Amino acid sequence: MKKVAMLLVAVLMSTLTYAQKMEERNIPQAVKTAFQKAFPDAKEVKWEKENSFFEANFEVNETDYSVIFDANGNIMETEVEIEPHQLPQNIAHYLAQHYKGQKIKEAAKITDAKGVVTYEAEIKDKDLIFDEKGNFIKEIKK
């Protein structure tokens, strides 16, 4: 299951490179309906298409979100901005050992369609991905 989760994260992350901005009128109705139902308070929504997926970037109560839907309106991944101090404590220890002196610019909690949680810590020119307990998974260079 862990391998499946990491594979899904890798596939979804790799599609970010190929994202195309889209106008809401070009989003399938099933996706728009699912989005409106799940996030009725969303503001400043920006849509992108990533291969066969649709990504909505938006704010709710001044918190940034990114949600990826399939064409049928199923949520494939939800990414929510969090404060760096909200990351699992193991992440701070890992950064202190492997990335001395580098500060976290942004942090996020990512939940996939199966409920598997990972965390992202952005430092300098890299995104670091950790599992739910704060164990390092991989580094993605920007």
Side-chain angles (χ1 to χ4, degrees):
M1 175 137 174
K2 196 173 193 180
K3 288 181 182 179
V4 172
M6 287 192 301
L7 178 62
L8 181 60
V9 168
V11 168
L12 291 174
M13 295 293 269
S14 68
T15 61
L16 293 176
T17 309
Y18 304 106
Q20 297 175 354
K21 292 184 184 203
M22 294 191 71
E23 293 184 31
E24 187 172 340
R25 69 175 185 250
N26 296 325
I27 304 298
Q29 187 59 49
V31 173
K32 289 193 285 191
T33 300
F35 174 76
Q36 291 166 350
K37 184 177 178 185
F39 303 97
D41 299 327
K43 295 181 179 161
E44 300 179 31
V45 182
K46 294 182 179 115
W47 288 96
E48 295 179 355
K49 185 166 186 195
E50 304 171 2
N51 296 327
S52 62
F53 296 105
F54 299 88
E55 179 179 7
N57 293 290
F58 57 97
E59 277 188 16
V60 173
N61 299 324
E62 298 182 22
T63 299
D64 291 332
Y65 285 76
S66 173
V67 180
I68 298 175
F69 294 87
D70 68 11
N72 296 317
N74 298 307
I75 295 176
M76 305 305 295
E77 178 183 280
T78 302
E79 182 174 323
V80 181
E81 173 188 48
I82 61 174
E83 294 296 324
H85 72 272
Q86 294 175 294
L87 291 166
Q89 198 170 23
N90 290 348
I91 294 174
H93 295 299
Y94 182 87
L95 292 173
Q97 290 177 343
H98 300 279
Y99 297 91
K100 292 180 180 152
Q102 294 192 37
K103 297 198 181 221
I104 298 172
K105 293 180 182 180
E106 293 182 10
K109 179 180 179 183
I110 302 166
T111 307
D112 73 11
K114 295 183 179 182
V116 175
V117 173
T118 55
Y119 290 93
E120 178 182 272
E122 180 184 329
I123 59 166
K124 212 170 184 179
D125 58 350
K126 300 173 181 81
D127 286 334
L128 305 175
I129 308 298
F130 299 86
D131 70 14
E132 188 169 20
K133 294 181 181 178
N135 298 309
F136 179 74
I137 296 174
K138 68 179 177 177
E139 172 185 295
I140 302 169
K141 293 186 181 187
K142 291 185 171 190

